[in-house]
Amino acid sequence: MNFKIIGTGSARPACVKTNDDLAEFLDTSDEWIRTRTGIEERHVMQDGESISQLATQAAQAALKNAGTDPKELDFIICSTIRGDYITPSMACIVARNLGVQCMAFDMNAACSGFIYALDCATGYFERGRAQKGLIVSAEAMSKMVDWQDRATCVLFGDAAGAVVLEKGENLLASKLASDGNVEVLNIPHVYGNSPFSSDEHKPSYLFMDGHGVYKFAVNAMATGLAETIAAAGLKQDEVDHVLPHQANMRIIQAAMKKLDIPEDRYRTNIAHYGNTSSACIPVLLDELNQAGMLKRGQILALTAFGGGLTTGAMVIRW
Ligand code: UT7
């Protein structure tokens, strides 16, 4: 016994910034960003918006799509690098906004977070602890990047995606892994003002060695997909939709070349969002669902990599 996805939802800030908008204050260009990454625009939170609000909107949309009353939920798991508070968790704020008191907690597996959360949720169904649950992946990347660093800030955006799960048999295989590494991708913590420490602290901005992550990402995505599809007892060309983490169109294309999955099965929306970390896959899933592209019984393969470094791949039947 594992899970079945019965509803999807997503939310994004109304404010959209194009590459040309960024070129107004950064030494960059639409041409550079488009050709190196495939990104054309991204959604960015503005004054008065919070990531918990966005997470709640995505959750409400998923619950509506599933025809599920929030009171039916047995758990809420949020994947996020950083919610509005260190504590309370984003999941507890979403629970409050939905008016429920079920178990609620956050997990951080960076960009692989949605796949990690789905895998974690499986345990509650297997142990008979849950009939229905909610996963929300929500990321405020615009609050973590250095807007003076053109090599990173142009890549990211803000969004939230959610799914409602119920007991089912639709998870066919999953594989999670980590390769502990602080050097290529990190966001230093916000520190307090202890009078007993004179350590210097770096500002809490995202640091990334783009080349280091790129190399890791192509192999991790291709290997993760190949192994997980085989573990599900399927051939690669039996996959109907591949939902890859949306970090860079070139990474997706390079991984694609290493696999036997026809090119027209890869789904992307990076042009309009950039990299929204763990929200990428559930937002894409919701867009495919709303567009009527997912047919009952079809095979979906999800694959992600991110800070940690973490990787996750999963094969599910729709
Ligand atoms: O989900 C989190 C994981 N993150 C990722 O997956 C990111 C993985 N890495 C990448 O996607 C790519 O490495 C980047 C998109 C970050 C960079 O692309 P690249 O083709 O590897 O460019 P580069 O770092 O080799 O930079 C080439 C040039 C440099 O100038 P010089 O040294 O050749 O004169 C950069 O300074 O491009 C310059 N550059 C830019 N120019 C205009 C870097 N960022 C920009 C920019 N606009 N925004």
Side-chain angles (χ1 to χ4, degrees):
M1 182 59 59
N2 49 66
F3 65 77
K4 173 173 153 195
I5 296 176
I6 59 166
T8 63
S10 60
R12 68 282 296 143
C15 172
V16 174
K17 293 291 174 195
T18 64
N19 295 340
D20 284 332
D21 291 332
L22 304 194
E24 283 178 20
F25 63 91
L26 275 176
D27 180 15
T28 189
S29 66
D30 178 53
E31 205 262 334
W32 192 96
I33 302 171
R34 233 176 243 264
T35 54
R36 300 281 179 139
T37 70
I39 299 165
E40 296 171 16
E41 57 189 14
R42 72 284 294 139
H43 293 258
V44 180
M45 290 184 351
Q46 290 187 299
D47 291 350
E49 290 182 303
S50 76
I51 194 61
S52 313
Q53 277 169 5
L54 219 55
T56 304
Q57 284 167 24
Q60 285 165 333
L63 286 161
K64 187 168 175 213
N65 184 243
T68 296
D69 188 296
K71 301 259 180 302
E72 295 176 61
L73 295 174
D74 298 307
F75 64 80
I76 298 175
I77 304 174
C78 286
S79 79
T80 189
I81 295 174
R82 199 175 81 190
D84 292 319
Y85 300 91
I86 292 173
T87 192
S89 67
M90 187 160 72
C92 285
I93 298 175
V94 170
R96 180 172 83 167
N97 292 345
L98 295 177
V100 299
Q101 281 87 38
C102 63
M103 125 173 91
F105 64 95
D106 286 0
M107 55 189 288
N108 176 0
C111 304
S112 311
F114 179 64
I115 298 176
Y116 268 67
L118 282 176
D119 196 74
C120 173
T122 305
Y124 292 113
F125 293 115
E126 273 175 358
R127 286 160 54 214
R129 288 279 303 275
Q131 301 293 321
K132 285 193 180 181
L134 172 71
I135 291 179
V136 189
S137 298
E139 308 277 11
M141 300 309 293
S142 68
K143 306 217 169 168
M144 287 176 261
V145 294
D146 176 358
W147 284 95
Q148 294 176 347
D149 175 13
R150 66 178 184 171
T152 51
C153 72
V154 304
L155 306 173
F156 294 94
D158 303 333
V163 292
V164 178
L165 306 176
E166 73 175 16
K167 267 203 306 201
E169 301 281 358
N170 290 18
L171 169 63
L172 303 184
S174 73
K175 182 170 186 282
L176 309 180
S178 69
D179 180 6
N181 185 319
V182 180
E183 291 74 26
V184 299
L185 179 49
N186 68 65
I187 306 175
H189 224 298
V190 179
Y191 290 91
N193 63 350
S194 167
F196 309 109
S197 165
S198 54
D199 286 350
E200 273 191 36
H201 299 301
K202 291 188 192 155
S204 183
Y205 293 135
L206 182 147
F207 166 84
M208 186 171 70
D209 160 11
H211 288 271
V213 182
Y214 194 107
K215 258 197 294 181
F216 170 80
V218 173
N219 279 326
M221 263 194 172
T223 312
L225 273 179
E227 290 179 2
T228 314
I229 294 167
L234 296 168
K235 295 201 202 73
Q236 292 186 7
D237 67 2
E238 289 179 283
V239 171
D240 296 291
H241 306 274
V242 181
L243 285 77
H245 174 46
Q246 308 284 302
N248 186 327
M249 201 59 202
R250 284 159 56 217
I251 294 177
I252 297 171
Q253 285 161 345
M256 223 177 332
K257 286 208 186 96
K258 292 175 176 269
L259 294 160
D260 291 325
I261 306 172
E263 272 186 35
D264 63 1
R265 312 269 171 90
Y266 288 80
R267 311 292 170 229
T268 65
N269 60 5
I270 186 170
H272 304 296
Y273 291 92
N275 181 348
T276 58
S277 188
S278 72
C280 286
I281 293 178
V283 169
L284 181 60
L285 183 69
D286 183 47
E287 289 186 339
L288 297 175
N289 190 23
Q290 298 306 330
M293 286 176 68
L294 306 177
K295 310 285 177 234
R296 195 161 288 282
Q298 283 189 325
I299 302 295
L300 276 55
L302 324 180
T303 177
F305 61 90
L309 296 164
T310 58
T311 52
M314 183 169 270
V315 176
I316 54 181
R317 193 183 300 282
W318 190 249

